[in-house]
Amino acid sequence: SYVLTQPPSVSVAPGQTATLTCGGDNIGSRSVHWYQQKPGQAPVLVVYADTDRPSGIPERISGSNSGNTAILTINRVEAGDEADYFCQVWETTSDHRIFGGGTKLTVL
Amino acid sequence: QLQLHESGPGLVKPSETLSLTCTVSGDSIRRSRYSRVWIRQPPGRGLEWMGSISFSGDTYYNPSLKSRATVSLDTSNNQFSLRLTSVTAADTAVYFCATGPPLRGEIQHWGQGTQVTVSS
């Protein structure tokens, strides 16, 4: 089955840019969604369909997807961005939601 | 505002059946075309899609569960449910119910999650 690969951890200083990657075979041909999960809470959708943001998600969070890598970019990182981030794709015929293993973003 | 709330036992014995219910508010299961989904997260690990049911009642399951899972709708109570048979310690996890828009893959709304521990 399809596999999504995320680095286990990324660290960034406040005010800098965090780049979170999600690798998959020809992932650029798929629609990728991203979730933020803080400890003890449910995930929150932050980007859907590669680049779109739900209402209430700040513009400094953005997504892109091309080739074998999808990217979630968080500009001007804040302490409140510290969380686990999961990428996800959808297998249309089986309705299977496939998640990456997640990346823990640490704000130094 | 669509809200989801999971309920069920926090402790289940090995080999028994786990039953969870998700109560939906702010949306009508009978009329809505949302897909209803169950996702779990073992301690310290990532997210695993378990299964889902469409507005028309079609069901889909993660093959890794080896036919142990059943998802169903209860339109009279505006709920949907998960049954997982023959549980083991590996089924210990936080279980989330969730919904997504029809014919799209993202999960828009999540319940707060419920901890289920499998232990004798």
Side-chain angles (χ1 to χ4, degrees), chain B residues 45-115:
Chain B
R45 297 181 62 183
L47 301 167
E48 179 187 29
W49 171 79
M50 300 183 68
S52 53
I53 186 165
S54 71
F55 66 92
S56 60
D58 295 326
T59 52
Y60 307 87
Y61 299 104
N62 191 324
S64 70
L65 296 174
K66 297 182 171 57
S67 303
R68 295 191 296 128
T70 303
V71 179
S72 58
L73 294 176
D74 179 357
T75 56
S76 60
N77 289 306
N78 217 41
Q79 297 173 330
F80 62 103
S81 299
L82 170 72
R83 289 182 74 249
L84 186 67
T85 61
S86 304
V87 298
T88 70
D91 295 310
T92 293
V94 175
Y95 286 74
F96 296 97
C97 63
T99 64
L103 304 179
R104 284 164 51 179
E106 73 267 27
I107 304 298
Q108 286 184 335
H109 307 282
W110 297 71
Q112 85 280 7
T114 187
Q115 172 68 50

Coordinates of all heavy atoms in Angstrom, one line a residue, chain B residues 45-115:
Chain B
R45 N 2.1 7.2 19.3 CA 2.3 6.8 17.9 C 1.4 7.7 17.0 O 0.8 8.6 17.5 CB 2.0 5.3 17.7 CG 3.0 4.5 18.5 CD 2.7 3.0 18.3 NE 2.8 2.6 16.9 CZ 2.6 1.4 16.5 NH1 2.2 0.4 17.3 NH2 2.7 1.1 15.2
G46 N 1.4 7.3 15.7 CA 0.7 8.1 14.8 C -0.8 7.7 14.6 O -1.3 7.0 15.4
L47 N -1.4 8.3 13.6 CA -2.9 8.1 13.4 C -3.1 6.9 12.4 O -2.4 6.8 11.4 CB -3.4 9.4 12.7 CG -3.3 10.6 13.6 CD1 -3.6 11.9 12.8 CD2 -4.2 10.6 14.8
E48 N -4.1 6.1 12.7 CA -4.5 5.0 11.9 C -6.0 5.1 11.5 O -6.8 5.0 12.4 CB -4.2 3.7 12.6 CG -4.6 2.5 11.7 CD -4.4 1.2 12.5 OE1 -4.6 1.1 13.7 OE2 -4.2 0.1 11.8
W49 N -6.3 5.2 10.2 CA -7.7 5.1 9.8 C -8.2 3.7 10.0 O -7.5 2.7 9.5 CB -7.8 5.5 8.3 CG -9.1 5.3 7.7 CD1 -10.2 6.1 7.8 CD2 -9.4 4.2 6.8 NE1 -11.2 5.6 7.1 CE2 -10.8 4.4 6.4 CE3 -8.7 3.1 6.3 CZ2 -11.5 3.6 5.6 CZ3 -9.4 2.3 5.4 CH2 -10.7 2.5 5.1
M50 N -9.3 3.5 10.6 CA -9.9 2.2 10.9 C -11.0 1.9 9.9 O -11.0 0.7 9.4 CB -10.4 2.1 12.3 CG -9.4 2.4 13.4 SD -10.1 2.2 15.0 CE -10.4 0.4 15.0
G51 N -11.9 2.8 9.6 CA -13.0 2.5 8.7 C -13.8 3.7 8.6 O -13.7 4.7 9.4
S52 N -14.8 3.7 7.6 CA -15.7 4.8 7.4 C -17.0 4.3 6.8 O -17.1 3.2 6.3 CB -15.0 5.8 6.6 OG -14.5 5.3 5.4
I53 N -18.0 5.2 6.9 CA -19.3 4.9 6.3 C -19.7 6.1 5.6 O -19.7 7.2 6.1 CB -20.3 4.4 7.3 CG1 -21.6 3.9 6.7 CG2 -20.5 5.4 8.4 CD1 -22.5 3.1 7.6
S54 N -20.2 5.9 4.3 CA -20.7 7.1 3.5 C -22.1 7.4 3.9 O -22.8 6.7 4.6 CB -20.6 6.7 2.1 OG -21.6 5.8 1.7
F55 N -22.6 8.5 3.4 CA -24.0 8.9 3.7 C -25.0 7.9 3.1 O -26.1 7.8 3.6 CB -24.2 10.3 3.0 CG -24.2 10.3 1.5 CD1 -25.3 10.1 0.8 CD2 -23.0 10.5 0.8 CE1 -25.3 10.1 -0.6 CE2 -23.0 10.5 -0.5 CZ -24.1 10.3 -1.3
S56 N -24.5 7.1 2.1 CA -25.4 6.1 1.5 C -25.3 4.8 2.2 O -26.1 3.9 1.9 CB -25.1 6.0 0.0 OG -23.8 5.5 -0.1
G57 N -24.4 4.7 3.2 CA -24.3 3.5 4.0 C -23.2 2.5 3.5 O -23.1 1.5 4.1
D58 N -22.5 2.9 2.5 CA -21.4 2.1 2.1 C -20.3 2.1 3.1 O -19.9 3.2 3.6 CB -20.8 2.6 0.7 CG -21.8 2.4 -0.4 OD1 -22.6 1.5 -0.4 OD2 -21.8 3.3 -1.3
T59 N -19.7 1.0 3.4 CA -18.7 0.9 4.4 C -17.3 0.5 3.8 O -17.3 -0.3 2.8 CB -19.0 -0.1 5.6 OG1 -19.4 -1.4 5.0 CG2 -20.2 0.4 6.4
Y60 N -16.3 1.0 4.5 CA -14.9 0.7 4.0 C -14.0 0.5 5.3 O -14.2 1.2 6.3 CB -14.3 1.9 3.2 CG -15.2 2.3 2.1 CD1 -16.3 3.2 2.3 CD2 -15.0 1.9 0.8 CE1 -17.1 3.6 1.3 CE2 -15.8 2.3 -0.2 CZ -16.9 3.1 0.0 OH -17.7 3.6 -1.0
Y61 N -13.1 -0.5 5.2 CA -12.3 -0.8 6.4 C -10.8 -0.9 6.0 O -10.4 -1.3 4.9 CB -12.8 -2.1 7.0 CG -14.2 -2.0 7.4 CD1 -15.2 -2.6 6.7 CD2 -14.6 -1.4 8.6 CE1 -16.6 -2.6 7.1 CE2 -15.9 -1.3 9.0 CZ -16.9 -1.9 8.2 OH -18.2 -1.8 8.6
N62 N -10.0 -0.6 7.0 CA -8.6 -0.8 6.9 C -8.3 -2.4 6.9 O -8.7 -3.1 7.8 CB -7.8 -0.2 8.0 CG -6.3 -0.1 7.8 OD1 -5.7 -1.0 7.3 ND2 -5.7 1.0 8.3
P63 N -7.6 -2.9 5.8 CA -7.4 -4.3 5.7 C -6.6 -4.8 6.9 O -6.7 -6.0 7.2 CB -6.6 -4.4 4.4 CG -6.9 -3.2 3.6 CD -7.2 -2.1 4.6
S64 N -5.8 -3.9 7.5 CA -5.0 -4.4 8.7 C -5.8 -4.9 9.8 O -5.3 -5.6 10.7 CB -4.0 -3.2 9.1 OG -4.8 -2.2 9.7
L65 N -7.1 -4.5 9.9 CA -7.9 -4.9 11.0 C -8.5 -6.3 10.7 O -9.2 -6.8 11.6 CB -9.0 -3.9 11.2 CG -8.6 -2.5 11.6 CD1 -9.7 -1.5 11.7 CD2 -7.9 -2.6 13.0
K66 N -8.3 -6.9 9.6 CA -8.6 -8.3 9.3 C -10.1 -8.6 9.6 O -10.4 -9.5 10.3 CB -7.7 -9.2 10.1 CG -6.2 -9.1 9.7 CD -5.4 -10.1 10.4 CE -4.0 -10.2 9.9 NZ -3.3 -8.9 9.9
S67 N -11.0 -7.7 9.2 CA -12.4 -7.9 9.3 C -12.9 -7.9 10.7 O -14.0 -8.4 10.9 CB -12.8 -9.2 8.6 OG -12.4 -9.3 7.2
R68 N -12.2 -7.3 11.6 CA -12.7 -7.2 13.0 C -13.5 -6.0 13.2 O -14.2 -5.9 14.3 CB -11.5 -7.2 14.0 CG -10.6 -8.5 14.0 CD -9.6 -8.4 15.1 NE -8.7 -7.4 15.0 CZ -8.4 -6.5 16.0 NH1 -9.1 -6.5 17.1 NH2 -7.5 -5.6 15.8
A69 N -13.5 -5.0 12.3 CA -14.2 -3.8 12.6 C -15.5 -3.7 11.8 O -15.6 -4.2 10.7 CB -13.3 -2.6 12.2
T70 N -16.5 -3.0 12.4 CA -17.8 -2.8 11.8 C -18.2 -1.3 12.2 O -18.2 -1.0 13.3 CB -18.9 -3.7 12.3 OG1 -18.5 -5.1 12.0 CG2 -20.2 -3.4 11.6
V71 N -18.5 -0.5 11.1 CA -19.0 0.8 11.3 C -20.4 0.9 10.9 O -20.8 0.4 9.8 CB -18.1 1.9 10.6 CG1 -18.7 3.3 10.8 CG2 -16.7 1.8 11.0
S72 N -21.3 1.5 11.7 CA -22.7 1.6 11.3 C -23.3 3.0 11.7 O -22.7 3.7 12.5 CB -23.5 0.5 12.1 OG -23.3 0.6 13.5
L73 N -24.4 3.3 11.1 CA -25.1 4.5 11.3 C -26.4 4.3 12.2 O -27.0 3.2 12.0 CB -25.6 5.2 10.0 CG -24.5 5.7 9.1 CD1 -25.1 6.3 7.8 CD2 -23.7 6.8 9.8
D74 N -26.7 5.2 13.1 CA -28.0 5.1 13.8 C -28.6 6.5 13.6 O -28.4 7.4 14.3 CB -27.7 4.9 15.3 CG -29.0 4.9 16.1 OD1 -30.1 5.1 15.5 OD2 -28.9 4.7 17.3
T75 N -29.4 6.6 12.5 CA -30.0 7.9 12.1 C -31.0 8.4 13.1 O -31.2 9.6 13.3 CB -30.6 7.8 10.7 OG1 -31.5 6.8 10.7 CG2 -29.5 7.6 9.7
S76 N -31.7 7.5 13.8 CA -32.7 7.9 14.8 C -32.1 8.6 15.9 O -32.8 9.5 16.5 CB -33.5 6.7 15.2 OG -32.7 5.8 15.8
N77 N -30.9 8.3 16.3 CA -30.2 9.0 17.4 C -29.1 9.9 17.0 O -28.4 10.4 17.8 CB -29.6 7.9 18.4 CG -30.7 7.2 19.1 OD1 -31.6 7.8 19.8 ND2 -30.7 5.9 19.1
N78 N -29.0 10.1 15.7 CA -27.9 10.9 15.1 C -26.5 10.5 15.6 O -25.7 11.4 16.1 CB -28.2 12.4 15.4 CG -27.8 13.3 14.3 OD1 -28.0 13.0 13.1 ND2 -27.2 14.4 14.6
Q79 N -26.3 9.2 15.5 CA -25.0 8.7 16.0 C -24.4 7.7 14.9 O -25.1 7.2 14.0 CB -25.2 7.9 17.3 CG -25.7 8.7 18.4 CD -26.1 7.8 19.6 OE1 -26.5 6.6 19.5 NE2 -25.9 8.3 20.8
F80 N -23.2 7.5 15.0 CA -22.6 6.4 14.3 C -21.6 5.6 15.3 O -21.2 6.2 16.3 CB -21.9 6.8 13.0 CG -20.7 7.7 13.1 CD1 -19.4 7.3 13.0 CD2 -20.9 9.1 13.3 CE1 -18.3 8.1 13.1 CE2 -19.8 10.0 13.4 CZ -18.5 9.5 13.3
S81 N -21.4 4.3 14.9 CA -20.7 3.5 15.9 C -19.6 2.7 15.3 O -19.5 2.5 14.1 CB -21.7 2.5 16.5 OG -22.8 3.2 17.2
L82 N -18.7 2.2 16.2 CA -17.6 1.3 15.8 C -17.7 0.1 16.7 O -17.8 0.2 17.9 CB -16.3 2.0 16.0 CG -15.1 1.1 15.9 CD1 -14.8 0.7 14.4 CD2 -13.8 1.8 16.4
R83 N -17.6 -1.1 16.1 CA -17.4 -2.4 16.9 C -16.1 -3.0 16.4 O -15.9 -3.1 15.2 CB -18.6 -3.4 16.6 CG -19.9 -3.0 17.3 CD -21.0 -4.0 17.0 NE -20.7 -5.2 17.9 CZ -20.4 -6.4 17.4 NH1 -20.1 -6.6 16.1 NH2 -20.2 -7.4 18.2
L84 N -15.3 -3.4 17.4 CA -14.1 -4.1 17.1 C -14.0 -5.3 17.9 O -14.0 -5.3 19.1 CB -12.9 -3.2 17.4 CG -11.5 -3.7 17.1 CD1 -11.4 -3.7 15.5 CD2 -10.4 -2.8 17.7
T85 N -14.0 -6.5 17.2 CA -14.0 -7.8 17.9 C -12.6 -8.3 18.2 O -11.6 -7.8 17.7 CB -14.7 -8.8 17.0 OG1 -14.0 -9.0 15.8 CG2 -16.2 -8.4 16.7
S86 N -12.6 -9.2 19.1 CA -11.3 -10.0 19.5 C -10.2 -9.0 19.7 O -9.1 -9.1 19.2 CB -11.0 -10.9 18.3 OG -12.0 -11.8 18.0
V87 N -10.4 -8.1 20.7 CA -9.4 -7.1 20.9 C -8.2 -7.7 21.7 O -8.3 -8.7 22.4 CB -9.9 -5.9 21.7 CG1 -11.0 -5.2 20.9 CG2 -10.4 -6.3 23.1
T88 N -7.0 -7.1 21.4 CA -5.8 -7.4 22.1 C -5.2 -6.1 22.7 O -5.7 -5.0 22.4 CB -4.8 -8.1 21.2 OG1 -4.3 -7.2 20.3 CG2 -5.4 -9.3 20.5
A89 N -4.1 -6.3 23.4 CA -3.4 -5.1 23.9 C -3.0 -4.2 22.8 O -2.8 -2.9 23.0 CB -2.1 -5.6 24.7
A90 N -2.8 -4.7 21.6 CA -2.4 -3.8 20.5 C -3.5 -2.8 20.1 O -3.2 -1.9 19.3 CB -2.0 -4.7 19.3
D91 N -4.7 -3.1 20.6 CA -5.8 -2.2 20.3 C -6.0 -1.1 21.3 O -6.9 -0.2 21.1 CB -7.1 -3.0 20.2 CG -7.1 -4.0 19.1 OD1 -6.8 -3.6 17.9 OD2 -7.4 -5.2 19.3
T92 N -5.1 -1.0 22.3 CA -5.1 0.1 23.2 C -4.7 1.4 22.5 O -3.7 1.4 21.8 CB -4.1 -0.2 24.3 OG1 -4.5 -1.3 25.1 CG2 -3.9 1.0 25.2
A93 N -5.6 2.4 22.6 CA -5.3 3.6 21.8 C -6.4 4.6 22.2 O -7.3 4.4 22.9 CB -5.5 3.3 20.3
V94 N -6.2 5.9 21.7 CA -7.2 6.9 21.8 C -8.0 6.7 20.4 O -7.4 6.7 19.4 CB -6.6 8.3 21.9 CG1 -7.7 9.3 21.8 CG2 -5.9 8.5 23.2
Y95 N -9.3 6.6 20.6 CA -10.1 6.4 19.4 C -10.9 7.8 19.1 O -11.5 8.3 20.0 CB -11.1 5.3 19.7 CG -10.5 3.9 19.6 CD1 -9.7 3.5 20.6 CD2 -10.7 3.1 18.5 CE1 -9.1 2.3 20.6 CE2 -10.1 1.9 18.4 CZ -9.3 1.4 19.5 OH -8.7 0.2 19.4
F96 N -10.8 8.2 17.9 CA -11.4 9.4 17.4 C -12.5 9.1 16.4 O -12.3 8.3 15.5 CB -10.5 10.4 16.7 CG -9.3 10.9 17.6 CD1 -8.1 10.3 17.5 CD2 -9.5 12.0 18.4 CE1 -7.0 10.7 18.3 CE2 -8.4 12.5 19.1 CZ -7.2 11.9 19.1
C97 N -13.7 9.7 16.6 CA -14.7 9.7 15.5 C -14.5 11.1 14.8 O -14.1 12.1 15.4 CB -16.1 9.5 16.0 SG -16.8 10.8 17.1
A98 N -14.8 11.1 13.5 CA -14.5 12.3 12.7 C -15.4 12.3 11.5 O -16.1 11.3 11.1 CB -13.1 12.3 12.3
T99 N -15.5 13.4 10.8 CA -16.3 13.5 9.6 C -15.5 14.2 8.5 O -14.6 15.1 8.8 CB -17.6 14.2 9.8 OG1 -17.3 15.6 10.2 CG2 -18.4 13.6 10.9
G100 N -15.8 13.9 7.3 CA -15.2 14.5 6.1 C -16.2 14.8 5.0 O -17.2 14.2 5.0
P101 N -15.9 15.8 4.2 CA -16.9 16.1 3.1 C -17.0 15.0 2.1 O -16.0 14.2 1.9 CB -16.3 17.4 2.5 CG -14.8 17.3 2.8 CD -14.7 16.6 4.1
P102 N -18.1 14.9 1.5 CA -18.3 13.8 0.5 C -17.4 13.9 -0.7 O -17.1 15.0 -1.1 CB -19.8 13.9 0.1 CG -20.1 15.4 0.3 CD -19.3 15.7 1.6
L103 N -16.9 12.8 -1.2 CA -16.0 12.7 -2.3 C -14.7 13.4 -2.2 O -14.1 13.8 -3.2 CB -16.8 13.2 -3.6 CG -18.1 12.5 -3.8 CD1 -18.8 13.0 -5.0 CD2 -17.9 11.0 -4.0
R104 N -14.3 13.7 -1.0 CA -13.0 14.3 -0.7 C -12.4 13.6 0.5 O -13.0 12.9 1.3 CB -13.2 15.8 -0.4 CG -13.4 16.6 -1.6 CD -14.0 18.0 -1.3 NE -13.2 18.7 -0.3 CZ -13.5 19.9 0.1 NH1 -14.5 20.6 -0.5 NH2 -12.8 20.5 1.0
G105 N -11.1 13.7 0.6 CA -10.4 12.8 1.6 C -10.0 13.4 2.9 O -9.6 12.7 3.8
E106 N -10.1 14.8 3.0 CA -9.7 15.4 4.3 C -10.7 15.1 5.4 O -11.9 14.9 5.1 CB -9.4 16.9 4.1 CG -10.6 17.7 4.0 CD -11.0 18.0 2.5 OE1 -10.7 17.1 1.6 OE2 -11.7 19.0 2.3
I107 N -10.2 15.2 6.6 CA -11.1 15.1 7.8 C -11.3 16.5 8.4 O -10.3 17.1 8.8 CB -10.4 14.2 8.8 CG1 -10.1 12.8 8.2 CG2 -11.3 14.0 10.1 CD1 -11.3 12.0 7.8
Q108 N -12.5 17.0 8.3 CA -12.7 18.4 8.7 C -13.0 18.5 10.2 O -12.6 19.5 10.9 CB -13.9 18.9 8.0 CG -13.6 19.3 6.5 CD -14.8 19.9 5.8 OE1 -16.0 19.7 6.3 NE2 -14.6 20.6 4.8
H109 N -13.8 17.5 10.8 CA -14.2 17.7 12.2 C -13.8 16.4 12.9 O -14.0 15.3 12.4 CB -15.7 17.8 12.2 CG -16.2 19.0 11.4 ND1 -16.1 20.3 11.8 CD2 -16.8 19.0 10.1 CE1 -16.6 21.1 10.8 NE2 -17.1 20.3 9.8
W110 N -13.3 16.6 14.1 CA -12.9 15.5 15.0 C -13.6 15.6 16.3 O -13.8 16.7 16.9 CB -11.4 15.6 15.2 CG -10.5 15.5 14.0 CD1 -10.4 16.4 13.0 CD2 -9.6 14.4 13.7 NE1 -9.4 15.9 12.1 CE2 -9.0 14.7 12.5 CE3 -9.3 13.2 14.3 CZ2 -8.0 13.9 11.9 CZ3 -8.4 12.4 13.7 CH2 -7.8 12.7 12.5
G111 N -13.9 14.4 16.9 CA -14.2 14.4 18.3 C -13.0 14.6 19.2 O -11.9 14.6 18.6
Q112 N -13.2 14.7 20.5 CA -12.0 15.0 21.3 C -11.2 13.7 21.6 O -10.1 13.8 22.1 CB -12.5 15.6 22.7 CG -12.9 14.6 23.7 CD -14.3 14.1 23.5 OE1 -15.0 14.4 22.5 NE2 -14.8 13.3 24.5
G113 N -11.8 12.5 21.2 CA -11.1 11.3 21.4 C -11.4 10.6 22.8 O -11.7 11.3 23.7
T114 N -11.4 9.3 22.8 CA -11.7 8.6 24.0 C -10.6 7.5 24.2 O -10.3 6.8 23.2 CB -13.1 7.9 24.0 OG1 -13.3 7.4 25.3 CG2 -13.3 6.9 22.9
Q115 N -10.0 7.4 25.4 CA -9.0 6.4 25.6 C -9.6 5.0 25.9 O -10.5 4.9 26.7 CB -8.2 6.8 26.9 CG -7.2 5.8 27.3 CD -6.0 5.6 26.4 OE1 -5.4 6.5 25.9 NE2 -5.7 4.3 26.1

